[in-house]
């Protein structure tokens, strides 16, 4: 069995509504997809990977155009030079290239999807998932008014989401948080995400959030500020959860050791792939640290993969794996992912378990690059 990368595509999809975070407002999404092939006895099976970079380097230092370039010019050629390429070796082969975890993750995902489809095996089965569905939370953007915010949150409660996450930033925190807690009552799990918008001097202010019985506060400080998060964790009753800071197994272990991560948000793209994400899940479980699965406004491709990963036992908190219609209108590139009774099904199909809609995919495609060596 030999795998090869064959194609890099960019697609463009409009969001159902603008999504505002402390780092910007998104109204549509440019997404890179990677296609790989595996050949077994002359039979070719294809697999797909999704790259979760944003248009600009604001969530992290990676971004769509940078990822496309590093894939074409550096990463894909290194994988093309390998004779017997396997998904399990991709991270090691690309290890000498510094950074670019999201670009690397997309390539590993495409190869893994193709390999597993060729074997007729699901990713969930590969990693030992036993659950058949996962509780679904929803991430709610910053809204221009509290009224608009409460309208949006009520809609999500009607949709069945079991946990609300609200984006916050300096100047837009205590008031909307109080209003949402008041609307949803004391029993709905509720958490906030600052996307690194606060500073070490904000501890006293952030401690006021303790009054609202939040599940956690996600990434209040800068990505590289582990010590600041550790000090903040001591000052807050609300548990501190890290997202952007968790860039590898090593950093995750250090953050836990330092008391900077009482809870961990796991995103495969941020850590360089689904196989590493699985190992970070294991290390958190071994240390008794709860984890949940984050989201990056994925299409049905990445969303299916997240639903499979989040089926692991250590994912004890509801994640940001919401229905595809939370972000996309009808033009999605796979079958829709739905929330039923507050849960998303763990995909059982081969590979990452999504089924592509070729016609919609081709219509959404804005460019295609051949990754086969010349
Ligand atoms: C988070 N996701 O947990 C991210 C942030 C995020 C669902 O809240 C384009 C690409 C837009 C990536 C907006 C959620 C994005 C993005 C937000 C990631 O911090
Ligand atoms: Mg986050």
């Amino acid at each position: 069995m030999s795998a090869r990368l064959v194609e890099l595509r960019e697609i463009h999809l409009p969001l159902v509504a603008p999504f505002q975070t402390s780092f910007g407002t998104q109204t549509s999404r440019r997404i890179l997809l990677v296609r790989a092939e595996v050949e077994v006895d002359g039979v070719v099976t294809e697999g797909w990977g999704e790259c979760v970079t944003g248009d600009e380097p604001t969530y992290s230092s990676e971004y769509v155009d940078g990822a496309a370039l590093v894939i074409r010019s550096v990463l894909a050629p290194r994988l093309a030079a390998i004779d017997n390429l396997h998904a399990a070796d991709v991270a090691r082969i690309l290890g000498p290239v510094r950074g670019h975890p999201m670009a690397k993750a997309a390539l590993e995902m495409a190869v893994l999807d193709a390999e597993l489809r060729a074997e007729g095996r699901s990713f969930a089965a590969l990693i030992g998932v036993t659950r058949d569905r996962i509780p679904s939370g929803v991430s709610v953007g910053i809204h221009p008014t509290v009224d608009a915010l409460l309208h949006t949150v009520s809609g999500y409660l009607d949709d069945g989401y079991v946990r609300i996450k609200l984006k916050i930033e300096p100047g837009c925190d205590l008031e909307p948080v109080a209003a949402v807690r008041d609307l949803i009552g004391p029993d709905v799990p509720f958490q906030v995400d600052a996307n690194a918008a606060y500073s070490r001097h904000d501890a006293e202010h952030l401690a006021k959030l303790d009054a609202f019985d939040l599940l956690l506060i996600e990434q209040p400080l800068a990505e590289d500020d582990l010590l600041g998060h550790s000090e903040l964790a001591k000052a807050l009753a609300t548990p501190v959860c890290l997202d952007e800071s968790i860039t590898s197994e090593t950093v995750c272990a250090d953050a836990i050791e330092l008391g900077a991560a009482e809870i961990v948000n796991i995103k495969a793209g941020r850590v360089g792939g689904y196989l590493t994400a699985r190992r970070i899940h294991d290390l958190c479980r071994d240390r008794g640290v709860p984890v949940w699965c984050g989201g990056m406004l994925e299409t049905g491709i990445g969303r299916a993969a997240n639903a499979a990963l989040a089926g692991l036992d250590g994912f004890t908190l509801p994640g940001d794996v919401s229905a595809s219609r939370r972000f996309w209108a009808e033009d999605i590139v796979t079958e829709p992912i739905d929330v039923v009774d507050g849960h998303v099904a763990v995909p059982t199909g081969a590979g990452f378990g999504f089924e592509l809609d070729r016609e919609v995919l081709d219509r959404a495609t804005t460019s295609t690059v051949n990754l086969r060596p010349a």
Side-chain angles (χ1 to χ4, degrees):
M1 184 152 86
S2 70
R4 57 176 184 255
L5 296 172
V6 292
E7 180 188 305
L8 173 66
R9 287 190 183 219
E10 185 180 318
I11 63 170
H12 188 261
L13 292 176
L15 290 172
V16 280
F19 184 55
Q20 186 179 341
T21 64
S22 62
F23 59 80
T25 303
Q26 202 81 26
T27 55
S28 68
R29 189 100 165 69
R30 290 169 62 202
I31 297 169
L32 297 174
L33 299 178
V34 180
R35 183 157 67 95
E37 286 178 356
V38 160
E39 196 176 325
V40 185
D41 302 330
V43 179
V44 173
T45 306
E46 70 171 32
W48 291 83
E50 175 167 348
C51 183
V52 298
T53 47
D55 296 6
E56 295 185 321
T58 46
Y59 165 83
S60 76
S61 65
E62 289 184 275
Y63 64 109
V64 174
D65 292 322
L69 188 57
V70 81
I71 286 171
R72 291 168 64 164
S73 62
V74 180
L75 303 177
R78 284 178 184 243
L79 295 181
I82 304 295
D83 270 341
N84 244 308
L85 182 63
H86 291 284
D89 302 324
V90 169
R92 183 180 48 76
I93 296 162
L94 300 180
V97 177
R98 303 289 158 237
H100 303 285
M102 294 174 183
K104 293 173 179 175
L107 301 185
E108 183 195 79
M109 184 182 175
V111 172
L112 185 53
D113 187 48
E115 245 173 45
L116 289 170
R117 283 175 195 263
E119 293 168 6
R121 198 165 173 214
S122 72
F123 175 66
L126 173 78
I127 62 174
V129 166
T130 50
R131 290 189 261 184
D132 59 2
R133 59 177 206 161
I134 55 160
S136 177
V138 64
S139 177
V140 182
I142 294 167
H143 278 61
T145 66
V146 168
D147 275 355
L149 169 64
L150 296 183
H151 180 77
T152 298
V153 171
S154 328
Y156 291 144
L157 290 180
D158 293 343
D159 292 338
Y161 290 106
V162 301
R163 183 226 68 190
I164 302 293
K165 156 168 145 182
L166 179 63
K167 294 289 186 180
I168 58 168
E169 65 182 353
C172 190
D173 44 28
L174 301 176
E175 194 194 347
V177 167
V180 169
R181 177 51 93 196
D182 194 47
L183 173 81
I184 68 183
D187 296 333
V188 176
F190 181 28
Q191 65 193 54
V192 294
D193 185 0
N195 287 111
Y198 293 87
S199 83
R200 290 185 179 195
H201 310 292
D202 292 320
E204 219 176 297
H205 176 72
L206 292 172
K208 295 179 187 159
L209 290 169
D210 287 344
F212 305 107
D213 191 27
L214 301 175
L215 260 182
L216 58 89
I217 178 169
E218 182 180 349
Q219 197 71 39
L221 311 179
E223 175 182 322
D224 61 1
D225 195 3
L226 290 188
L227 203 56
H229 281 105
S230 155
E231 283 163 10
L232 187 62
K234 290 185 198 108
L236 302 187
T238 306
V240 169
C241 169
L242 294 184
D243 173 359
E244 284 90 329
S245 295
I246 305 297
T247 52
S248 70
E249 284 179 86
T250 307
V251 172
C252 185
D254 287 0
I256 292 169
E257 192 69 30
L258 272 171
E262 298 171 287
I263 298 174
V264 169
N265 168 334
I266 295 184
K267 287 179 181 170
R270 173 175 24 75
V271 302
Y274 280 89
L275 298 176
T276 302
R278 193 263 147 87
R279 285 198 299 274
I280 290 179
H281 157 276
D282 295 351
L283 93 79
C284 290
R285 193 197 41 202
D286 293 347
R287 288 162 174 74
V289 172
V291 305
W292 54 281
C293 185
M296 291 289 285
L297 283 56
E298 289 91 347
T299 69
I301 298 174
R303 204 164 286 278
N306 288 342
L309 178 69
L312 288 171
D313 287 347
F315 286 86
T316 52
L317 295 170
D320 281 344
V321 187
S322 42
S324 40
R325 69 167 153 272
R326 151 73 184 88
F327 290 109
W328 316 115
E330 62 277 11
D331 266 15
I332 55 168
V333 300
T334 63
E335 79 287 6
I337 289 178
D338 296 314
V339 169
V340 179
D341 263 340
H343 290 70
V344 167
V346 169
T348 54
F352 286 100
F354 53 85
E355 210 180 300
L356 274 189
D357 185 330
R358 275 303 175 136
E359 216 170 285
V360 173
L361 177 65
D362 287 340
R363 247 188 286 130
T365 299
T366 51
S367 69
T368 304
V369 175
N370 183 1
L371 292 179
R372 291 186 176 96

